[in-house]
Amino acid sequence: MSDLIGAEAPPGLSFAERWGPLAAYLAKRILGGLVVLLAGTLVVFLTMQAAPGDPALAALGENATPDAIAAFRAEYGLDQPVWMQYLGWLGGFVTGDFGQSLAVARGLPVAGLIAQKLPATIFVGTLALVLAVVISLVLGTAAALRRGRATDTIATSIAVFGISMPDFWMSYVLIFGLSLGLGLFPAFGYVAPSESLTGAFHAAFLPALAIAAPMAAVFARTLRAVLIETISRAHVTAATSFGLRRSFIFLHYVLRNSLVPYLTVVGLQIRYILGGVVVVERIFGIPGIGSLMVDGAFARDYAVLQACTVVFLVIVLAVNLAVDCLCAALDPRQTVK
């Protein structure tokens, strides 16, 4: 009856026959991700090299002597050919060594800076993703089940409004309304979960909501369209004719079939959440990767910028791999060529 039920493996299969296609699918996805990661590191490195300006002058100042500049370039390997710099940097990246900061924290290992900043970005980004998914599930489901009615109009209008709002503008609206106006949340600062879990959620709610709002609107619009298309399918009509409860039909035959395209869109939109983190962390004073990336850009710290960009790339690839695995679990037909 369900599209997915028909794709489930028949009983009596051996372990290799049952899980072999899934393992091959995951291996292919991981290999593809590694190729994309390698190409991404090359693009990021060449982009940093093509950027105007001299990192030695940025670090030492305009009054630096030629000897000091030459010594600085030799100390950090900036006098070597580009391909040698890339291979050296790539070798260090494989072993977890991102080199040393040129200007932001001169001489300190970039890996250490990343390790200090990454937990805050992961916490705020994860909270933003959870908020976006929850809000979109509520709005998208309400709009699809009440299609053409006032609920659909309200939910769709909220989604359109959310899509039209940049995250930085949303940040200032939330600060003026919920922080400075009502005093419900702090306008600036970050509390680590290790210090106070409730304090961490309280401090991170506004920045997470600012990041989540535009994404929730995109997710809700996608979910609404997929649910409406699934509801009109023949197997749902057949289930309804059998007299099954509406809640049972929705959960088993409508929502489950709609989750695969919905989760695919969620995975693709992760990059926008990370882009929002760069801006929102600066506005709310969160000591995360986004703030470190902005500092690296202003100081022309190649090592910091490259490391932050590659970390974002790894996060995007990891989340998309997780989404692919979840989609394969929901619909095993994806593992079959």
Side-chain angles (χ1 to χ4, degrees):
M1 179 176 291
S2 167
D3 286 350
L4 295 180
I5 289 178
E8 292 179 350
L13 293 179
S14 65
F15 181 84
E17 291 172 331
R18 183 179 294 274
W19 298 107
L22 178 60
Y25 173 79
L26 295 180
K28 185 170 66 175
R29 296 294 303 160
I30 292 174
L31 181 60
L34 292 176
V35 172
V36 173
L37 178 60
L38 180 62
T41 60
L42 180 60
V43 171
V44 169
F45 187 85
L46 294 179
T47 302
M48 293 297 105
Q49 292 294 323
D54 188 341
L57 281 177
L60 300 177
E62 296 293 335
N63 296 324
T65 64
D67 290 341
I69 293 176
F72 183 91
R73 296 178 66 82
E75 178 182 358
Y76 292 97
L78 300 177
D79 56 346
Q80 297 179 353
V82 173
W83 65 271
M84 288 186 64
Q85 293 184 46
Y86 172 69
L87 291 180
W89 176 77
L90 184 63
F93 165 69
V94 172
T95 60
D97 181 9
F98 291 101
Q100 295 178 331
S101 171
L102 303 180
V104 173
R106 186 177 173 183
L108 293 181
V110 176
L113 297 176
I114 298 289
Q116 293 176 5
K117 306 293 184 180
L118 189 58
T121 298
I122 290 179
F123 181 74
V124 175
T126 303
L127 182 57
L129 180 61
V130 171
L131 287 174
V133 169
V134 171
I135 294 172
S136 65
L137 285 175
V138 173
L139 290 180
T141 302
L145 295 181
R146 309 289 292 179
R147 182 184 181 187
R149 301 181 183 179
T151 304
D152 183 20
T153 302
I154 295 172
T156 303
S157 300
I158 293 174
V160 172
F161 183 66
I163 292 174
S164 64
M165 291 189 301
D167 42 28
F168 70 88
W169 184 82
M170 185 67 180
S171 299
Y172 290 119
V173 170
L174 292 175
I175 289 174
F176 282 117
L178 300 182
S179 181
L180 301 181
L182 300 178
L184 298 177
F185 299 95
F188 194 84
Y190 171 76
V191 178
S194 59
E195 298 176 6
S196 170
L197 189 59
T198 55
F201 280 106
H202 187 231
F205 181 77
L206 285 190
L209 184 59
I211 299 170
M215 294 301 99
V218 176
F219 298 165
R221 294 278 292 178
T222 301
L223 182 62
R224 175 186 179 275
V226 175
L227 286 176
I228 290 175
E229 191 271 337
T230 306
I231 289 173
S232 63
R233 290 183 181 176
H235 70 273
V236 178
T237 304
T240 305
S241 68
F242 292 157
L244 300 176
R245 287 181 292 110
R246 293 185 60 184
S247 58
F248 181 86
I249 295 172
F250 178 78
L251 291 176
H252 289 80
Y253 301 140
V254 177
L255 183 60
R256 184 182 175 189
N257 282 288
S258 303
L259 284 180
V260 173
Y262 171 75
L263 291 175
T264 301
V265 172
V266 171
L268 293 174
Q269 296 294 325
I270 288 297
R271 64 185 188 278
Y272 290 111
I273 290 182
L274 293 177
V277 164
V278 174
V279 178
V280 172
E281 279 187 359
R282 202 66 174 178
I283 295 174
F284 286 93
I286 299 172
I289 295 290
S291 296
L292 180 63
M293 198 171 185
V294 173
D295 291 338
F298 280 114
R300 295 194 52 75
D301 196 326
Y302 286 160
V304 169
L305 269 177
Q306 288 169 177
C308 292
T309 307
V310 171
V311 167
F312 279 163
L313 178 60
V314 171
I315 292 174
V316 170
L317 292 176
V319 171
N320 276 275
L321 178 61
V323 168
D324 288 342
C325 294
L326 188 55
C327 290
L330 289 170
D331 186 0
R333 292 173 301 180
Q334 296 191 13
T335 64
V336 180
K337 292 182 179 179

